[in-house]
Amino acid sequence: MTEQLSPRTRTRRSALTTVPPRGSAGVRDLLAEHGVGGPGGTDLLLALLPDDPAEVAEQALIENTGDGSVVGFCSFSRLDTEAGAVQVDVHVDQDTAPVGMTFEATMAVVDHAFNRWGVQRVAIWSAGERADQLATRPGVLAEAREMPEGVRSTGVPGARLFVITRDRWERYGTRFLEWLVRPPADR
């Protein structure tokens, strides 16, 4: 593992640690090396990732801060600074991670995307049950009705696009992330 990212990429229970960018085949090997799996999730993640590492802006492992184990992976790809958009993909192994770790890590990933590249939109592709869950929890995240500028289609059948805009993130998401970062005694 390499460097730790900015402080807000570490919550009470999760931390993002960068790894050298790789395409989907390299990510498959990395996940296997760390024993990260999960029912169907890795297949969807790998289908959504670019094959070409040149399309990857940054990638990181998601660690459980309680025991130091690797429980997931995230990728920032298809960065379009002119259009102000980046795609983020997050996978947390539900069999090894504590309940709620996916949400907590995803909050840190989204915050990092906005802070690192100054984008106006973070795109998250999802499918199946996870997409259905995301669609029933509108708020900071909204399902896109049309393809926003700077966001490209994945070509994955049944994939649905969700977008987080900077203004909604700054208004709602950052407050919740601050709560996730603070120790319980400081709340």
Side-chain angles (χ1 to χ4, degrees):
M1 289 182 226
T2 57
E3 69 186 80
Q4 183 70 36
L5 303 175
S6 64
R8 286 185 15 160
T9 59
R10 181 178 184 89
T11 65
R12 289 187 313 273
R13 299 183 310 156
S14 68
L16 307 180
T17 305
T18 61
V19 295
R22 57 200 78 207
S24 56
V27 171
R28 180 185 311 279
D29 295 342
L30 179 69
L31 294 176
E33 176 185 327
H34 289 282
V36 175
T42 54
D43 292 340
L44 176 60
L45 170 73
L46 296 170
L48 294 171
L49 292 176
D51 293 327
D52 183 357
E55 290 189 64
V56 175
E58 196 167 74
Q59 292 177 331
L61 293 172
I62 300 169
E63 297 176 4
N64 178 338
T65 58
D67 63 12
S69 64
V70 174
V71 295
F73 173 83
C74 65
S75 181
F76 306 87
S77 60
R78 300 180 172 103
L79 175 63
D80 186 335
T81 54
E82 287 183 25
V86 68
Q87 175 181 321
V88 299
D89 296 287
V90 179
H91 172 70
V92 174
D93 187 335
Q94 301 302 312
D95 294 335
T96 60
V99 172
M101 178 84 63
T102 301
F103 178 73
E104 201 167 304
T106 301
M107 295 288 287
V109 167
V110 169
D111 190 69
H112 180 67
F114 281 120
N115 289 312
R116 173 87 163 86
W117 294 286
V119 295
Q120 297 303 308
R121 286 176 305 286
V122 171
I124 299 174
W125 286 96
S126 191
E129 185 179 317
R130 184 169 179 217
D132 293 341
Q133 291 171 351
L134 291 173
T136 62
R137 297 186 186 133
V140 174
L141 183 72
E143 187 166 4
R145 301 291 177 224
E146 57 186 53
M147 193 73 65
E149 180 186 359
V151 178
R152 289 186 277 163
S153 178
T154 64
V156 174
R160 294 161 62 186
L161 177 64
F162 295 86
V163 175
I164 303 169
T165 60
R166 176 178 285 283
D167 64 326
R168 292 195 60 81
W169 177 253
E170 289 175 351
R171 191 175 316 143
Y172 305 112
T174 56
R175 290 185 200 153
F176 192 69
L177 182 61
E178 286 297 331
W179 183 79
L180 288 172
V181 170
R182 287 194 315 257
D186 293 344
R187 289 193 214 149

